[in-house]
């Protein structure tokens, strides 16, 4: 027994990797140089550089990794290298479409020229509102207008005089008659040198002053003159039309130099083909509507609740919507969208209620999103936030696939059409970097074919890196950087070493260092807090350990509740004595921010039968696939060792006692084998030794995860009950390289109060747990007498004989 203990016990020196302060090649904390260098992510950096520098379609980047590995920080720092990169940026504007106002025209001009163009258009309108009325009020214009008026009025008078002359010659007169609210000319006869209307003629007939024959002649003469008068009136209207055209031509001729000067100046200043066409249409519109620029009468009073028409709405064709302004952007734009709602990414078309209570919108209400603001540069999104927002993912991948963006209102993009505006689409040249985890990446890759096309680069951020002199120096630089940036106290050598050892424990391997620098930074900050509480000049190892202990205390309430239930007997766990078919397995409870180990009682009962190993957890649907696999391996191990010369006639029920949640993982498979062997051999197992480790069909012990938490979980139970000096934990030999036990555990191990044993095979483990050798199979196929395997083989042989006898009796 003592031989096996001595052979497999892990030396104290291997229970925790320690960093010797004397190996720090610094005299003081001030000797360390802070550095913002990206640490331990060479693979991710190479992938990021490829994705960010590739110009071909679809080379957007999906960053996969755990939170806290510096994904966002790394991307920010890497993109700083691209900030000064020369990029031909543009300003994007929408202007009025005279042919179709619902489809505003996109104008793309050089960065910084958008706001200048907008100002030029505002100045243009102001100048027109000032200069056009001045032209119309000028003496020269008024004289020319007066000349034109007199010319056409003279023609009208001449025509009228000639007609009136004809009318008089026929015995008629032209008079003006009131018809409703208007006055029109009419032809009436002249009797007794006075014009008489036809209503008076009836009276004259009755009085005998005129005969009916004469009246009939007058009616006929009137009809002839009225038809001639229609021709004259048509000619008068034609003269009136020509008068208006001549006055309009005079206005255009007078205003054209002013308008043409501004248009030519703007076209010369901003070289853009679409802009030239727009300015031509604008010039034509101005000259066709000069009356709009005349002084307007005072506006009527506005009724309560109504909106007065604004000058901006009246002259909307002069408005310029600079929805992407890169005038202050230096280098490639880098946009980090922290709230990836639909309108924040793709932009929107806003709406407002007019004075009639009707929703309306125009091109001035088009707003850009972060995708357009990042055009020519880089956009960073959180994958989960992007996926859960309605309509965002579908629109994003469609936009990246087509490389064009069409701005729509939020309702149009998600819930249905709501605006008649259809702005011209914008060509995109943007790199999208999505930050998520490997699970989200795998879902998108498997379920969405478009994802593969538009996100061709995957950048994996690792949670660990190799532990060597270079990485340790990087840790020192990181500690110094956080200390300087956040004005923390200086760390002495012992504190620095403790922080580095914490990084090794986080990594879970003695040869690795964690790259979850957010957790390391939290320890630095909290160590500073306790140093300040202690009024210490420097942060020492005491303060770092205090920070770690306090963090654990804040999070270990559930662990303490479970330990309390074990100590008061609610959960049955033995830590002394020996029991047949019973062993203490070890499991890990992971709550994300905090994980801890807990012993679990595993029991086995065996009997004659052909059911094999019965996994009670599986029968109760509480067993995960990995645990099921581990139990099936047990059957393979038993057949390999005991069923080569006889049938395996055994039923063994395996159960995790007082386990009411799911059980998964194969780390208890070795413990289950020990319990089965104990039950079959009738040899009790030590309860002061807890067991962890998976096993293969050959009986070789395989490494498992959470080794430190499992050891510490059983240690805490034993310590609370009182350490006997015989208690310990049995672990896989390969897990020695993962050991980074807490200081209190190591202190007790040094005193011989607790032990950690590492084994390679089931035989080594069963010997420690029973005090009896496992036994190596002889050439004859049998096991040496007095060994565990011999006892088990005898029991199984007995089962086989009895089963054969029963079958024979049943046949007879």
């Amino acid at each position: 027994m003592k031989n096996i203990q001595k052979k497999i016990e892990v030396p104290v020196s291997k229970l925790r990797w320690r960093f010797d302060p004397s190996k720090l090649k610094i005299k003081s904390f001030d000797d360390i140089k802070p550095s913002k260098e990206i640490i331990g992510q060479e693979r991710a950096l190479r992938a990021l550089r490829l994705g960010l520098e590739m110009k071909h379609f679809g080379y957007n980047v999906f960053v996969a990794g755990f939170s806290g590995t510096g994904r966002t920080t790394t991307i920010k720092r890497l993109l700083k290298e691209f900030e000064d990169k020369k990029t031909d940026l543009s300003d994007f504007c929408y202007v009025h479409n005279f042919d179709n106002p619902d489809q505003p025209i996109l104008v793309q001009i050089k960065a910084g020229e958008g706001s200048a163009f907008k100002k030029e258009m505002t100045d243009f309108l102001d100048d027109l509102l000032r200069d056009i009325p001045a032209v119309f009020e000028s003496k020269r214009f008024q004289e020319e207008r007066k000349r034109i008026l007199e010319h056409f009025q003279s023609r009208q008078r001449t025509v009228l005089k000639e007609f009136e002359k004809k009318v008089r010659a026929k015995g008629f007169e032209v008079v003006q008659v009131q018809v409703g609210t208007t006055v029109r000319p009419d032809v009436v006869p002249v009797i007794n040198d006075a014009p008489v209307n036809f209503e008076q003629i009836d009276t004259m007939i009755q009085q005998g002053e005129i005969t009916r024959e004469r009246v009939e002649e007058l009616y006929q003469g009137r009809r002839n003159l009225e038809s001639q008068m229609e021709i004259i009136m048509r000619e008068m209207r034609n003269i009136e039309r020509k008068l208006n055209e001549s006055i309009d031509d005079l206005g255009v001729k007078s205003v054209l130099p002013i308008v043409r000067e501004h248009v030519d100046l703007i076209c010369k200043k901003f070289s853009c083909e679409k802009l030239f066409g727009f300015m031509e249409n604008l010039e034509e519109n101005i000259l066709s509507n000069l009356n709009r620029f005349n002084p307007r009468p005072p506006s009527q009073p506005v009724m309560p609740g109504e909106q007065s028409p604004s000058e901006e709405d009246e002259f909307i064709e002069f408005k310029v919507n600079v929805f992407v302004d890169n005038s202050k952007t230096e280098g490639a734009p880098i946009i980090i969208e922290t709230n990836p709602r639909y309108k924040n990414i793709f932009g929107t078309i806003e709406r407002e209620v007019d004075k009639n209570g009707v929703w309306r919108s125009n091109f001035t209400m088009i707003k850009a999103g972060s995708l357009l603001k990042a055009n020519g540069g880089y956009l960073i999104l959180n994958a989960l936030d992007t996926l859960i927002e309605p309509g965002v993912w579908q629109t994003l991948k469609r936009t990246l696939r087509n490389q064009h963006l069409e701005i729509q209102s939020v309702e149009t993009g998600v819930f249905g059409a709501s605006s008649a505006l259809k702005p011209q689409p914008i060509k995109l040249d943007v790199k999208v970097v999505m930050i998520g985890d490997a699970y989200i990446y795998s879902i998108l890759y498997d379920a969405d074919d478009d994802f593969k096309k538009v996100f061709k680069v995957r950048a994996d951020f690792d949670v660990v890196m190799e532990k060597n002199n270079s990485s340790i120096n990087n840790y020192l630089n990181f500690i110094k950087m956080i200390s300087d940036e956040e004005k923390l106290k200086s760390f002495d050598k012992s504190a620095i070493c403790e922080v580095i050892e914490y990084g090794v424990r986080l990594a879970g391997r003695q040869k690795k260092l964690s790259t979850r620098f957010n957790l390391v930074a939290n320890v630095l900050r909290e160590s500073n807090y306790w140093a300040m509480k202690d009024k210490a000049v420097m942060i020492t190892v005491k303060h770092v350990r205090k920070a770690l202990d306090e963090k654990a205390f804040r999070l270990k309430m559930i662990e303490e509740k479970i330990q309390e239930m074990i100590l008061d007997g609610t959960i049955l766990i033995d830590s002394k004595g020996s029991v047949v078919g019973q062993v203490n397995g070890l499991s890990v409870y992971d709550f994300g921010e905090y994980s801890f180990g807990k012993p679990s009682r595993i029991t086995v009962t065996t009997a004659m039968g052909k059911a094999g190993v019965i996994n009670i957890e599986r029968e109760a649907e509480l067993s995960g696939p990995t645990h099921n696999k581990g139990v099936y391996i047990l059957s393979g191990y038993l057949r390999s060792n005991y069923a080569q010369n006889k049938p395996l006639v055994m039923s063994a029920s395996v159960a995790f006692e007082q386990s009411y949640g799911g059980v998964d993982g194969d780390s208890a498979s070795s413990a289950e084998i020990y319990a089965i062997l104990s039950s079959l051999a009738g040899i009790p197992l030590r309860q002061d030794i807890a067991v962890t480790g998976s096993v293969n069909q050959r009986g070789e012990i395989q490494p498992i995860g959470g080794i430190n938490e499992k050891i510490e979980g059983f240690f805490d139970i034993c310590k609370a009950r009182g350490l006997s000096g015989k208690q310990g934990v049995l672990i896989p030999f390969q897990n020695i390289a993962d050991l980074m036990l807490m200081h209190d555990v190591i202190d007790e191990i040094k005193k011989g109060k607790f032990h950690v044993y590492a084994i390679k095979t089931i035989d080594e483990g069963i010997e420690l747990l029973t005090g009896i050798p496992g036994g190596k199979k002889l050439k004859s196929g049998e096991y040496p007498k007095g060994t565990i395997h011999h006892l088990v083989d005898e029991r199984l042989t007995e089962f086989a004989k009895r089963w054969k006898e029963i079958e024979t009796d049943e046949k007879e």
Side-chain angles (χ1 to χ4, degrees), residues 688-756:
D688 54 4
I689 300 291
V691 177
T692 187
S694 68
V695 67
N696 61 25
Q697 295 185 105
R698 297 176 178 272
E700 297 169 335
I701 302 297
Q702 301 171 143
I704 42 81
I707 191 66
N708 293 300
E709 290 82 359
K710 290 179 177 179
I711 295 172
E712 291 160 1
F714 190 63
F715 169 82
D716 289 340
I717 297 298
C718 295
K719 184 178 180 181
R721 288 177 171 172
L723 294 171
S724 65
K726 295 181 180 181
Q727 296 144 329
V729 175
L730 196 58
I731 68 170
F733 179 81
Q734 298 93 325
N735 282 123
I736 293 177
D738 303 334
L739 293 174
M740 280 296 293
L741 296 176
M742 301 296 287
H743 295 285
D744 59 336
V745 180
I746 293 176
D747 291 341
E748 297 299 333
I749 292 175
K750 283 181 179 179
K751 299 174 184 177
K753 297 292 186 68
F754 196 77
H755 306 274
V756 175

Side-chain angles (χ1 to χ4, degrees), residues 487-502:
K487 303 187 183 307
L488 308 182
K489 291 179 177 291
S490 298
F491 288 74
D492 69 6
K493 289 185 178 183
S494 65
I496 294 172
C497 293
E498 189 68 21
V499 171
I500 294 174
E501 290 178 21
Y502 172 69

Side-chain angles (χ1 to χ4, degrees), residues 48-55 75-87 330-334 378:
L48 279 168
R49 289 186 188 279
L50 172 70
L52 296 177
E53 293 177 1
M54 283 287 284
K55 295 298 182 183
I75 293 168
K76 288 179 181 178
R77 291 179 182 174
L78 184 61
L79 286 177
K80 283 188 176 180
E81 300 177 13
F82 296 85
E83 282 182 343
D84 299 330
K85 178 182 176 183
K86 291 184 178 180
T87 306
E330 298 179 1
I334 299 170
Y378 310 92

Side-chain angles (χ1 to χ4, degrees), residues 578-693:
S578 299
V579 180
V580 174
Q582 176 178 302
V583 67
N584 287 325
L586 293 170
S587 57
V588 173
Y589 284 55
D590 190 351
F591 291 92
E593 193 176 3
Y594 184 72
S595 59
F596 61 91
K598 180 187 83 71
S600 299
R601 175 180 286 182
I602 301 173
T603 60
V604 171
T605 60
T606 55
M608 181 174 58
K610 284 196 172 183
V613 179
I614 301 172
N615 179 9
I616 292 179
E617 310 302 321
R618 179 174 179 272
E619 299 301 318
E621 297 183 352
L622 294 174
S623 178
T626 309
H627 181 249
N628 290 338
K629 178 184 177 182
V631 175
Y632 289 136
I633 288 174
L634 304 187
S635 300
Y637 172 80
L638 294 173
R639 286 192 296 268
S640 173
N641 283 275
Y642 308 114
Q644 300 300 310
N645 54 5
K646 58 184 174 297
L648 190 61
V649 184
M650 176 202 73
S651 294
S653 299
V654 181
F656 279 72
E657 303 295 346
Q658 295 181 285
S659 173
Y660 308 107
V663 175
D664 202 5
D666 62 349
S667 64
S669 57
S670 63
E672 291 166 340
I673 284 185
Y674 297 140
I676 291 173
L677 296 180
S678 170
S679 178
L680 289 170
I683 303 297
L685 298 175
R686 293 176 60 180
Q687 301 300 297
D688 54 4
I689 300 291
V691 177
T692 187

Side-chain angles (χ1 to χ4, degrees), residues 261-377:
E261 179 184 0
H262 281 82
V263 169
D264 291 345
L265 179 63
I266 292 175
C267 290
K268 185 177 181 180
K269 190 171 184 180
F270 307 101
S271 178
C272 176
E273 186 175 346
K274 282 190 176 180
L275 188 60
F276 297 159
F278 166 73
M279 293 305 297
E280 288 179 5
N281 291 334
L282 178 63
E283 178 182 318
E284 182 180 344
N285 180 264
I286 293 170
L287 298 176
S288 301
N289 298 277
L290 290 176
N291 289 334
R292 298 170 63 203
F293 299 91
N294 282 327
R296 294 176 293 276
S299 59
Q300 297 179 354
V302 179
M303 297 298 292
E306 290 187 345
Q307 296 178 346
S308 60
S310 65
E311 190 174 276
E312 293 182 358
D313 293 335
E314 189 175 357
F315 294 99
I316 194 170
E317 65 269 23
F318 288 88
K319 298 295 294 179
V320 177
N321 180 7
V322 187
F323 61 99
V324 176
D325 184 0
N326 283 313
S327 58
K328 296 181 180 179
T329 305
E330 298 179 1
I334 299 170
I335 305 297
I336 302 175
E337 182 53 73
T338 57
N339 184 17
R341 298 175 63 190
Y342 187 93
K343 68 176 183 179
N344 291 347
I345 293 182
F346 306 106
T348 187
I349 302 174
E350 296 180 343
R351 297 181 299 167
E352 65 182 14
V353 181
D354 64 15
K355 64 182 180 181
N356 297 317
V358 179
W359 286 100
R360 69 179 187 89
S361 60
N362 56 54
F363 73 92
T364 64
M365 300 177 189
I366 299 173
K367 305 297 180 183
S370 53
L371 197 59
L372 273 179
K373 294 175 183 177
N375 200 18

Side-chain angles (χ1 to χ4, degrees), residues 441-469:
Y441 180 89
S442 63
I443 291 176
L444 292 175
Y445 192 88
D446 293 336
D448 195 332
D449 288 336
D450 290 332
F451 177 75
K452 307 179 185 71
K453 299 175 183 177
V454 295
F455 284 91
K456 295 182 179 179
V457 179
R458 171 174 173 169
D460 279 313
F461 274 68
D462 202 348
V463 294
V464 296
M465 62 181 176
E466 290 294 329
K467 178 173 65 66
N468 50 41
N469 292 334

